[in-house]
Amino acid sequence: MERRTIEPRPGWQQTVEEQGLIYPLTRYPDDSLRPYWDESAYYAFSLPEVEALEEVVEELHRMCLAAAGHIVERDRFADLGITDPRVAAAVAEAWHRRAELPSVYGRFDLRYDGTGPAKLLEYNADTPTSLVEAASPQWFWMEDRFPGADQWNSLHERLVAAWKKHAALLPPGSPLHFAHSAADELGEDLMTVAYLKETAEQAGLDTDWISVEEIGWDPLSGRFVDNQLRFIRSCFKLYPWEWLTTDRFADHVLDTLDNGGGTGTTLWIEPAWKMLLSNKALLAILWELYPGHPNLLPSYLDGPRELATTTGYVAKPLLGREGAGVTVHRPVSSAVASPVPSPVRREEPCCYQELAPLPSFDGNRVVLGAWVVEDESAGLGIRESAGLITDEYARFLPHVIL
């Protein structure tokens, strides 16, 4: 794994916008615009390196599924902050009937520096973004810059194949709606949903648009309807389950939930069991089930424990996005402070994970976003940030296998 500089293509901004990336620039607090899509550098990998990472990703995915089963079987929903019995029951039912429910994709965030084992930072398997840039613009960038080379990127064909496979699980006679929140000012959610809608159409599915805010409730029929007053029988939503089950329509969502087998009136994608994988508590449960695993970092729910004085730790809210609420705590040495102060435990539920600073390449902190479609490794997206937390000011850089 190497970071290499390169001259950006002439007209790169217009090029990537035409390829679906309508947010190639990021506005900073000083009102300046800087590239989000950054092709002034790229990352080069060897084929054996990528093949080894693919194996790691698929093993981590299998471990996460095992952890999800453990949570359901041992009724550990409270560890995830899921205290509503109806929500817990819906998640458990979805898990038990997961073979009947379409489940499409997820993204692992990994710490990797090209030398030691990759370490799992978190798993977003409910509403992951940065999909468009990983699937499309970076592939075309490679074809322009390195014709004949390869890339860890089979996202598009795997997504189309996934929709074809899941077509039989969708309710017949109505379109698959694709929903995003109109509150997304950047356009990232909109374009992620637009891209997924395109892959579904290429798989032969009948689809339609809607924003979450446009979804209506028909009290006479007791069903969700679209802006043409058609029943919404199936809907891919880029809208987290923790919002869907707590907003003012939450009772309707649970009352009408099609959790497999056509038992309700609306089937949501991703399914409710994905709440088990997009919660940071998963990290602590993984460490409990697989202590010492080379691709895991020590993580706890009851406080940082020994991490406070050894490696330091990162406190992560159980639910969050773009690094929101994440705090970094350096180790407190007993040689400096006597007595050693007690580690701070935050009021909100958090996962306390060993501090493993993101590797620095030319002063840039790097995180790998490794994609899974269904149960298989499908691609890679790389983000760089200035600090230890990958936030909304991170940049996306392409990669190539050389």
Side-chain angles (χ1 to χ4, degrees):
M1 178 179 176
E2 294 181 1
R3 186 183 195 272
R4 300 177 181 177
T5 58
I6 191 172
E7 190 69 24
R9 294 168 296 176
W12 64 267
Q13 182 176 340
Q14 180 180 352
T15 297
V16 298
E17 286 178 346
E18 291 172 351
Q19 293 164 354
L21 190 66
I22 64 169
Y23 43 93
L25 303 175
T26 298
R27 188 174 297 279
Y28 280 68
D30 63 2
D31 214 34
S32 64
L33 289 171
R34 307 177 202 176
Y36 164 66
W37 168 270
D38 185 356
E39 58 177 72
S40 65
Y42 67 95
Y43 283 84
F45 294 83
S46 69
L47 181 58
E49 188 175 27
V50 167
E51 290 174 338
L53 285 168
E54 286 182 312
E55 291 181 4
V56 166
V57 167
E58 293 189 359
E59 181 179 6
L60 285 172
H61 180 66
R62 288 192 294 269
M63 291 162 57
C64 288
L65 293 179
H70 169 84
I71 294 167
V72 172
E73 292 161 10
R74 301 298 178 89
D75 192 16
R76 297 187 61 177
F77 293 102
D79 287 338
L80 279 65
I82 300 175
T83 56
D84 185 331
R86 293 192 70 198
V87 175
V91 173
E93 181 186 33
W95 172 255
H96 290 307
R97 307 188 72 163
R98 61 191 180 277
E100 304 168 41
L101 296 169
S103 171
V104 182
Y105 75 139
R107 190 194 73 225
F108 284 102
D109 285 348
L110 305 175
R111 184 206 181 277
Y112 180 69
D113 62 6
T115 57
K119 300 287 187 178
L120 173 62
L121 299 174
E122 58 187 67
Y123 191 14
N124 186 341
D126 184 19
T127 59
T129 54
S130 78
L131 176 67
V132 175
E133 47 270 49
S136 178
Q138 77 162 340
W139 179 264
F140 292 118
W141 168 89
M142 180 197 68
E143 291 189 325
D144 285 346
R145 286 305 200 197
F146 299 94
D150 202 358
Q151 193 175 78
W152 182 2
N153 189 358
S154 58
L155 276 163
H156 189 85
E157 51 265 44
R158 287 187 184 275
L159 286 167
V160 173
W163 289 121
K164 287 182 179 178
K165 175 183 174 182
H166 293 319
L169 300 176
L170 299 175
S174 61
L176 170 60
H177 287 78
F178 281 79
H180 72 288
S181 174
D184 168 41
E185 297 178 355
L186 180 64
E188 183 177 22
D189 289 0
L190 170 64
M191 290 313 301
T192 301
V193 169
Y195 175 66
L196 286 165
K197 181 175 181 291
E198 177 186 339
T199 59
E201 289 171 350
Q202 290 185 19
L205 301 184
D206 180 20
T207 70
D208 204 351
W209 277 109
I210 196 167
S211 72
V212 172
E213 291 79 5
E214 290 177 312
I215 296 176
W217 175 255
D218 178 9
L220 294 178
S221 64
R223 293 188 174 194
F224 287 110
V225 294
D226 64 13
N227 42 21
Q228 299 179 49
L229 299 182
R230 296 175 302 179
F231 294 148
I232 298 177
R233 289 290 288 112
S234 58
C235 183
F236 175 91
K237 86 286 177 298
L238 201 67
Y239 192 76
W241 269 102
E242 62 266 20
W243 297 355
L244 202 63
T245 55
T246 56
D247 69 16
R248 65 193 182 99
F249 288 105
D251 286 341
H252 297 325
V253 170
L254 296 172
D255 287 341
T256 62
L257 181 60
D258 182 345
N259 236 351
T263 55
T265 57
T266 302
L267 183 150
W268 299 94
I269 307 170
E270 297 288 331
W273 67 263
K274 285 294 191 83
M275 292 181 75
L276 303 170
L277 302 187
S278 289
N279 189 301
K280 306 302 187 299
L282 173 73
L283 303 169
I285 293 171
L286 282 169
W287 185 250
E288 177 186 325
L289 296 177
Y290 304 97
H293 192 283
N295 301 119
L296 298 178
L297 293 168
S299 303
Y300 309 105
L301 294 176
D302 59 356
R305 301 190 191 180
E306 79 283 353
L307 305 178
T309 56
T310 54
T311 60
Y313 62 95
V314 179
K316 298 180 175 182
L318 298 188
L319 301 169
R321 187 172 176 176
E322 301 282 6
V326 174
T327 55
V328 176
H329 303 262
R330 299 288 184 178
V332 178
S333 172
S334 58
V336 176
S338 182
V340 177
S342 300
V344 177
R345 182 174 180 184
R346 290 169 42 166
E347 289 298 321
E348 65 180 319
C350 284
C351 176
Y352 301 86
Q353 186 181 59
E354 178 182 278
L355 174 60
L358 295 177
S360 176
F361 287 78
D362 300 333
N364 303 283
R365 299 288 185 171
V366 181
V367 64
L368 303 190
W371 291 93
V372 169
V373 175
E374 293 196 290
D375 296 319
E376 296 184 353
S377 170
L380 174 68
I382 300 175
R383 288 170 294 160
E384 288 185 344
S385 56
L388 294 178
I389 299 173
T390 305
D391 57 19
E392 68 268 29
Y393 301 111
R395 304 170 301 281
F396 186 97
L397 277 74
H399 78 277
V400 66
I401 299 172
L402 296 176

